[in-house]
Amino acid sequence: QVQLWESGGGSVQTGGSLRLSCGVSTYTVSTYCVGWFRQAPGNKREAVARIHRSGTETNYADSVKGRFTISQELAKRAVFLQMSSLQPEDTAMYYCAAGGCGVWNDDATYNHWGQGTQVTVSP
């Protein structure tokens, strides 16, 4: 059974940075595409970024382009989300998800989800 676990969340001030980590128990280059999603209270879950299992293709929500970077490290079976220039509107629970490589920003594409890590950005 695939397990995912997130870490690296926390509280920062506007303009700060955080690096989220997602461990995937059975992650290899030939298995999953991995995405990051976020959900703020009262809002729908939204896709943030996705890295293709090949590692050569990435996708980003317009709201985070130029500020967030997704990467993978297969030796660690991990995917990272480097977040910079954080804004209060980035405050949310962040989830990583693993699954197929279909529509990257559709959460139905992903079969496996972590429990989430909270990111809070203060003004």
Side-chain angles (χ1 to χ4, degrees):
Q1 183 174 351
V2 179
Q3 293 182 315
L4 293 88
W5 56 95
E6 302 94 338
S7 62
S11 298
V12 296
Q13 293 186 323
T14 296
S17 299
L18 285 172
R19 188 191 194 210
L20 304 184
S21 299
C22 172
V24 185
S25 61
T26 60
Y27 187 49
T28 67
V29 69
S30 62
T31 51
Y32 309 109
C33 285
V34 177
W36 283 96
F37 288 73
R38 66 186 181 187
Q39 188 169 21
N43 289 1
K44 289 179 59 176
R45 186 164 58 190
E46 63 173 346
V48 175
R50 192 277 302 269
I51 187 163
H52 192 274
R53 57 192 176 196
S54 67
T56 60
E57 177 186 335
T58 57
N59 304 91
Y60 296 94
D62 288 343
S63 59
V64 306
K65 280 181 181 176
R67 301 189 298 123
F68 291 11
T69 302
I70 190 170
S71 61
Q72 64 178 196
E73 189 166 340
L74 296 177
K76 294 185 177 180
R77 293 184 175 173
V79 172
F80 305 98
L81 186 68
Q82 178 67 47
M83 307 187 295
S84 302
S85 301
L86 283 162
Q87 303 297 315
E89 52 265 36
D90 295 315
T91 295
M93 184 71 77
Y94 283 70
Y95 301 89
C96 67
C101 301
V103 178
W104 79 272
N105 55 355
D106 184 349
D107 54 8
T109 296
Y110 304 89
N111 308 104
H112 312 285
W113 293 80
Q115 294 299 306
T117 185
Q118 178 68 37
V119 171
T120 302
V121 185
S122 57

